[in-house]
Amino acid sequence: MRPYSDLMLDESAWPAIAGVFASARASVRMLPSDLHAARTCLESLQVSTRSTLGSIAYRTGGVLIDYGWIRLFGSGHPALTRRLGQWNAQLRIPLSSFVLVGDDAVGGIFALDGGGLGATRGNICYFSPTSLDWHDMMFGYTGFLQWVLSVDLDAWYRDLRWPTWREDVSSLPADHSFALFPPPSTWEGRDVTSARRRAVPVAGLWRLHLDVRSRRTSPPEFKLGVTPDR
């Protein structure tokens, strides 16, 4: 295992990342990093600051995008305690399978496939709360960061947002997500505007989604493309 001193390189990806953040389409809040936590994060991931993932891990405690609807993990912060590497360990997911890199306010999850999801290794996949399937987004972490900061998120999340989502998400702790009842994965829950919403810890909603997924009568599907189909 390489120590953090070997992973902190003078040639960093951060200048390019900062430029992407500066031109972001949605609101962005970068949480400051703690030096000790950042070093620990780099060592657990074994990535250098020359990579986009390594620079995000080292330079930020996390990133809140679009009023906090999307939460990208960094080295951790009191406002976003889930951090790269550590969140995998807490959920008992080996880093060799996939790396959890972010999530959203309704239980969607973004992960970097290491071979455990069946996508192209190194691609970002999205676990959709509407289908309870993993979707290969067809690009790596750098492409994902560029995409999430430039795409029309209102259009992409059109089936998962309600009229007051901005106000609701702005007051939602970043370690919680909204559980929707009836769930958006059911026929009854297709219209989220009439769903009941309750803020729950992210881990609890993840377990609920996995439980519902395991009860299916047919095996789950793996889908290609960035749009999470119902």
Side-chain angles (χ1 to χ4, degrees), residues 85 87-100 206 210:
W87 189 228
N88 269 69
Q90 187 169 334
L91 295 180
R92 299 181 181 178
I93 299 170
L95 290 173
S96 58
S97 181
F98 56 89
V99 180
L100 298 166
W206 170 238
L210 290 183

Side-chain angles (χ1 to χ4, degrees), residues 105-107 162 168 172-173 176-181 195-202 204-205 208:
V106 286
W162 53 95
D168 297 339
L172 177 72
H176 286 64
S177 290
F178 284 113
L180 306 177
F181 301 97
R196 291 179 289 118
R197 296 178 290 276
R198 181 162 61 92
V200 299
V202 170
L205 187 55
L208 175 63

Side-chain angles (χ1 to χ4, degrees), residues 21-223:
F21 279 130
S23 61
R25 183 170 183 163
S27 64
V28 174
R29 179 188 172 199
M30 279 186 283
L31 303 172
S33 62
D34 171 81
L35 182 58
H36 175 73
R39 290 173 172 176
T40 300
C41 198
L42 285 181
E43 287 188 336
S44 68
L45 296 172
Q46 286 294 287
V47 295
S48 77
T49 54
R50 182 178 295 162
S51 70
T52 302
L53 183 63
S55 281
I56 291 290
Y58 185 69
R59 297 294 295 265
T60 81
V63 184
L64 305 180
I65 298 172
D66 212 10
Y67 300 90
W69 180 277
I70 291 178
R71 295 78 68 97
L72 301 185
F73 306 150
S75 55
H77 183 273
L80 178 59
T81 59
R82 299 186 304 292
R83 65 176 185 264
L84 288 165
Q86 176 268 347
W87 189 228
N88 269 69
Q90 187 169 334
L91 295 180
R92 299 181 181 178
I93 299 170
L95 290 173
S96 58
S97 181
F98 56 89
V99 180
L100 298 166
V101 298
D103 55 33
D104 61 39
V106 286
I109 297 170
F110 298 98
L112 181 66
D113 188 23
L117 294 177
T120 300
R121 189 183 297 269
N123 274 9
I124 293 290
C125 298
Y126 177 67
F127 183 83
S128 168
T130 60
S131 66
L132 302 185
D133 290 320
W134 286 102
H135 301 257
D136 186 347
M137 299 188 74
M138 311 297 286
F139 41 59
Y141 187 82
T142 299
F144 166 65
L145 187 64
Q146 294 169 339
W147 172 84
V148 79
L149 294 171
S150 62
V151 73
D152 182 349
L153 290 172
D154 273 331
W156 201 70
Y157 280 110
R158 63 185 178 276
D159 294 329
L160 287 168
R161 286 183 167 177
W162 53 95
T164 61
W165 72 266
R166 288 179 180 83
E167 295 83 357
D168 297 339
V169 170
S170 294
S171 60
L172 177 72
D175 285 325
H176 286 64
S177 290
F178 284 113
L180 306 177
F181 301 97
S185 59
T186 65
W187 179 264
E188 297 81 3
R190 289 174 67 87
D191 181 9
V192 299
T193 61
S194 59
R196 291 179 289 118
R197 296 178 290 276
R198 181 162 61 92
V200 299
V202 170
L205 187 55
W206 170 238
R207 286 192 290 267
L208 175 63
H209 284 165
L210 290 183
D211 181 61
V212 173
R213 191 173 190 246
S214 70
R215 296 172 185 269
R216 286 177 167 175
T217 55
S218 57
E221 300 179 25
F222 187 90
K223 301 181 180 181

